[in-house]
Amino acid sequence: MVFSLFRQVCFRSEGCRKIHRWVAPTLNELRKRRKMVGPEPPSHRSTYLNWNYGAELYAFGKRLKEDFDEDLLKVALTQSSYVDLETRKRQQLGLSGELVNLQDNSFLAQHGEQLMTTYIKAYLRLTHPFLPEEGILAVQEHLTSDDLLSHVSFNIGTSDLILCADFPPSKSTLANTLKAIVGVVEKSSGLHSAQIFVQDFVITQLIGKDVKEIWTILNPMGLLRDILSREGRTLPESRLIRQSGQNTIMAVFNVGLYCDKHLIGLGVGETIVIAVEMAARDALKRLFRTNERAPPLPFGRRGRQLNVPLDTTNPSVTEWTTELATQNYKRNHKLI
C-alpha cells in the first residue's frame, strides 16, 4: 500500500515526474508504524476474493495425480474443531445445531492410519529382511509420527485446504489430515493405489537416513554378544588398530572387533570406550545389512511392482540369528 501511494503521488501525470516534499516523511512514518504494529497475522487462503474451494480441490487431486471422490475429500479436510465452531455459530444465531450438515474426518483418519501402519511395516519387512522386528517397529513409528506426517502434509498443500478452527493448523491437524487422505485414496481408487500413495509420499522420507539413527540400541555390545553366543561363535574381542593425539583434546582411537579371527566391526572415538561402542554398532550394522553398502529402497517403477505380503514378521532381537535372517531374506527375495 505504501508503494502504491508513492506511485500515485510521484507519477500523477504522464511524462511529468513530481515528488513532493512531504512524501519521504510520510513514507518513513508509515514504515515506523508498520514496524511498531508488527507483521500481519497469517490469513487463510479463503479470505482472498478469487478463492474457489471446488477448483482448489480439483487442482489438489491433479497435483497428486489422484482421482479423489470430491465428497470424501471434503470430509477428509474437515476437522472436528471446525464442525464444533460452525455448530456454536448456529446456536448463537438461534438456529438448530442439527442443520449443520458437516462430517469430520475422524473415521477416515483412523482408517488411513491403520492402513498406513500395516503397509509401512510390511514394506520394511520386505526390504529389510535382516533387520529385527524391534527395528521395523521403530522405523514405522518414526514414519507415522506427527512431525514427519505434518511435514509431508504441509508440502503437498493441505494447509490452505483444511477446515479447522485455528489457522495455521497445528502439526497434529496436518498429520491427521494426511491420514484421512490416505483413507480417501483407498476408498476412491482401491487398496493398491493407497499403498503406492504411502510409498511415494511417506516411505520416501527414509532416503538419506540411517536406520540405526532412528532405532537406538542402548547396549550394542551386549546385543552383539547375545547374537554371537546363540550362533555358537566366540565372544567379540576388541583390538586397538591405531591412535593419534593421545593425552590431548584431539585424541582419536580406532578400534576393531574380532570374532573367530575375523574383523566384524570398526569404530572411531575420542576415547577407547566410545570407539569400542561404535565398533559394536558397526558390527550390528553389518549383521542387520543396514550399512552403507545396503541396496537402495525400491521406489518408482520397482516399488509399484512389489508384491508386499501383509502377514509376515521379522525375527525379534531375542531370537535373531544369521540363519533365521537368511531364511527370511530368501523368502522375501522371491517377491522383490
Side-chain angles (χ1 to χ4, degrees):
M1 185 184 73
V2 175
F3 293 103
S4 62
L5 176 63
F6 180 78
R7 286 196 299 268
Q8 292 176 6
V9 174
C10 295
F11 305 100
R12 184 170 299 176
S13 60
E14 184 178 358
C16 181
R17 187 169 185 269
K18 297 180 180 180
I19 301 178
H20 298 277
R21 296 179 60 183
W22 56 267
V23 172
T26 303
L27 294 179
N28 290 333
E29 182 63 25
L30 291 175
R31 188 180 297 107
K32 291 179 181 178
R33 294 183 181 182
R34 168 57 63 188
K35 189 174 181 180
M36 292 175 58
V37 173
E40 295 183 2
S43 57
H44 197 274
R45 181 67 177 80
S46 59
T47 58
Y48 293 81
L49 295 177
N50 59 349
W51 174 254
N52 188 334
Y53 193 58
E56 294 290 341
L57 294 180
Y58 178 80
F60 177 74
K62 294 305 177 183
R63 286 197 303 270
L64 302 182
K65 297 182 180 180
E66 295 288 345
D67 295 327
F68 293 111
D69 186 310
E70 186 174 346
D71 294 334
L72 288 177
L73 184 58
K74 289 181 179 179
V75 174
L77 296 169
T78 303
Q79 299 293 321
S80 58
S81 60
Y82 180 79
V83 177
D84 297 338
L85 179 63
E86 291 296 319
T87 303
R88 289 195 299 269
K89 287 182 179 180
R90 287 180 174 270
Q91 291 176 352
Q92 292 175 0
L93 295 174
L95 302 176
S96 175
E98 299 178 355
L99 296 177
V100 181
N101 190 18
L102 291 175
Q103 183 181 356
D104 61 77
N105 61 359
S106 56
F107 174 76
L108 286 174
Q110 183 179 3
H111 178 65
E113 181 180 11
Q114 181 179 4
L115 189 151
M116 186 185 303
T117 302
T118 303
Y119 179 73
I120 289 176
K121 289 191 291 188
Y123 180 91
L124 294 174
R125 289 165 183 157
L126 180 64
T127 56
H128 294 80
F130 288 88
L131 187 64
E133 187 67 15
E134 286 78 2
I136 298 293
L137 295 178
V139 178
Q140 176 262 316
E141 291 177 358
H142 169 74
L143 290 175
T144 55
S145 62
D146 285 350
D147 290 337
L148 190 140
L149 292 182
S150 62
H151 171 75
V152 175
S153 180
F154 177 81
N155 283 279
I156 64 175
T158 60
S159 58
D160 289 330
L161 302 176
I162 295 176
L163 300 178
C164 57
D166 54 340
F167 186 84
S170 60
K171 288 185 177 181
S172 60
T173 300
L174 290 169
N176 196 51
T177 301
L178 183 63
K179 297 174 184 177
I181 290 176
V182 173
V184 173
V185 175
E186 192 272 334
K187 292 184 178 297
S188 301
S189 304
L191 178 61
H192 182 69
S193 297
Q195 292 174 346
I196 296 301
F197 183 89
V198 174
Q199 182 187 131
D200 289 343
F201 291 100
V202 181
I203 304 181
T204 51
Q205 303 302 313
L206 289 177
I207 296 177
K209 294 184 179 179
D210 189 357
V211 174
K212 285 296 177 292
E213 294 180 357
I214 300 174
W215 179 36
T216 304
I217 301 177
L218 299 179
N219 186 11
M221 181 59 74
L223 178 59
L224 180 62
R225 288 176 177 174
D226 292 341
I227 292 175
L228 294 178
S229 63
R230 281 196 296 269
E231 295 181 352
R233 302 168 63 181
T234 60
L235 295 180
E237 298 180 1
S238 59
R239 293 289 183 267
L240 182 62
I241 299 177
R242 62 182 65 89
Q243 63 182 0
S244 176
Q246 188 178 10
N247 299 326
T248 67
I249 61 174
M250 302 295 290
V252 176
F253 299 91
N254 192 347
V255 173
L257 281 182
Y258 291 85
C259 178
D260 298 330
K261 298 182 180 180
H262 293 285
L263 180 66
I264 61 174
L266 286 171
V268 179
E270 57 267 24
T271 62
I272 295 181
V273 176
I274 296 177
V276 171
E277 180 181 351
M278 297 304 296
R281 294 185 183 276
D282 182 63
L284 291 176
K285 277 187 177 183
R286 300 186 185 192
L287 288 175
F288 299 154
R289 307 288 177 89
T290 59
N291 53 6
E292 293 77 9
R293 292 181 292 179
L297 295 176
F299 294 123
R301 183 180 300 177
R302 288 184 57 205
R304 284 160 173 74
Q305 295 174 353
L306 290 179
N307 182 16
V308 182
L310 303 178
D311 56 350
T312 60
T313 56
N314 283 12
S316 174
V317 290
T318 58
E319 60 183 11
W320 194 96
T321 60
T322 305
E323 183 179 359
L324 286 177
T326 304
Q327 295 175 1
N328 194 29
Y329 169 75
K330 291 180 179 179
R331 183 185 71 247
N332 293 347
H333 186 68
K334 299 177 181 179
L335 302 174
I336 297 179

